[in-house]
Amino acid sequence: MKVEATVPPPADRLKNFGVNLWVEFSSLAVEHQATNIGQGFPDFVPPDFLQEEVKKAVALPSANWYTRSMGHPRLVKELAAEFSPLFNREIDPMKEVMTAVGAYEAIYAAITAFINEGDEAVVIEPHFDCYAGDMDLCGGKLVRVPLRPSSKEDATLARNWTLNEEEFEAAFTDRTKILLLTTPHNPVVSTSSTQPIVSQVMAHHHNFLSAPHHLHPHQVEITPSWLHQLTSQLPPPPNTAPILSGMW
């Protein structure tokens, strides 16, 4: 009797997973020979001085050890010094700072550390794709509150997409554990229409985590003139999410 090997089915919590957004759009860009601005594909190398510093760093014996799991001591101390003024308090680099390999890992770590089955997280839609998958893996529920274009204004302008305060307020329940915030909002690239509402609602609700996802809090522009003219019309990115009295 011949027994055929079968692959066990994936876990039920993966049933909502489909093709990754980045894979789908990158494939479409290649197929249609389009410029892919969804992901960065630099066509230049790092400057010479940076290449030399990297060479020096990897030549050190200490650079080839396992580092501290929460982040290299020098790095977490610099991060604590950078962010302490933004939060108006001293951040302990050895107890309150953790580094990650990119946003996906950091967001996954934050969600899985606090979300139990049945817990909820509120997010403004459209949102970063990994929020939904991370919540599914934890058995949590992602509560989406969409931005909506003003009916009387030009919907092609970011400032005309707004957050309905009543709709946003209603998303919070006694099961809400995390508020996921992308700043500035992607793809609208604006906070002017959402930040006052977010701040006001956060002042009314307590005992949940605010998890801000900063896309580019610090940036250096090295762009062709035509792109600079386009991006110069966008609002500057905020340094941090709304900080209210009592938040830490």
Side-chain angles (χ1 to χ4, degrees):
M1 178 179 175
K2 183 179 180 181
V3 178
E4 295 186 3
T6 58
V7 178
D12 290 342
R13 60 181 177 272
L14 300 180
K15 63 184 178 182
N16 293 328
F17 281 58
V19 177
N20 182 275
L21 174 70
W22 308 107
V23 173
E24 182 178 1
F25 273 80
S26 294
S27 300
L28 287 171
V30 172
E31 179 183 349
H32 297 283
Q33 297 183 335
T35 300
N36 187 349
I37 60 174
Q39 289 177 274
F41 295 97
D43 58 358
F44 55 88
V45 297
D48 292 340
F49 79 90
L50 184 56
Q51 295 185 49
E52 290 301 318
E53 290 302 318
V54 171
K55 291 177 183 177
K56 293 177 184 178
V58 297
L60 297 173
S62 59
N64 299 286
W65 304 339
Y66 281 114
T67 190
R68 176 176 172 270
S69 60
M70 299 291 285
H72 194 285
R74 285 181 59 191
L75 176 58
V76 295
K77 288 176 182 178
E78 289 295 330
L79 291 172
E82 175 75 15
F83 284 92
S84 288
L86 298 176
F87 286 88
N88 298 316
R89 71 179 189 89
E90 288 298 318
I91 296 176
D92 187 333
M94 308 309 289
K95 294 181 179 180
E96 297 178 301
V97 179
M98 184 186 77
T99 61
V101 185
Y104 263 53
E105 182 183 7
I107 293 167
Y108 175 79
I111 289 176
T112 56
F114 291 99
I115 292 294
N116 292 314
E117 187 170 352
D119 287 340
E120 298 177 356
V122 176
V123 66
I124 299 173
E125 192 177 37
H127 56 76
F128 202 41
D129 66 311
C130 68
Y131 299 158
D134 292 346
M135 290 295 291
D136 284 345
L137 287 172
C138 296
K141 177 184 178 182
L142 190 63
V143 181
R144 299 171 170 90
V145 183
L147 289 178
R148 302 187 186 279
S150 174
S151 59
K152 299 181 180 180
E153 303 293 341
D154 185 356
T156 65
L157 299 177
R159 65 175 178 267
N160 295 329
W161 285 75
T162 59
L163 185 64
N164 182 280
E165 184 175 348
E166 292 182 0
E167 198 172 8
F168 188 60
E169 177 93 39
F172 290 82
T173 71
D174 57 359
R175 299 296 300 172
T176 302
K177 198 75 167 286
I178 297 178
L179 169 61
L180 295 163
L181 288 172
T182 305
T183 55
H185 189 271
N186 184 16
V188 176
V189 198
S190 175
T191 59
S192 59
S193 64
T194 59
Q195 189 159 327
I197 295 174
V198 170
S199 298
Q200 186 170 338
V201 172
M202 288 175 69
H204 298 162
H205 295 270
H206 307 279
N207 300 323
F208 67 87
L209 298 169
S210 172
H213 172 200
H214 303 300
L215 294 180
H216 42 74
H218 304 287
Q219 61 183 9
V220 177
E221 286 192 356
I222 307 176
T223 58
S225 59
W226 65 268
L227 184 56
H228 175 73
Q229 292 175 4
L230 175 65
T231 57
S232 64
Q233 301 175 36
L234 299 175
N239 285 327
T240 187
I243 300 300
L244 305 177
S245 177
M247 287 185 67
W248 54 272

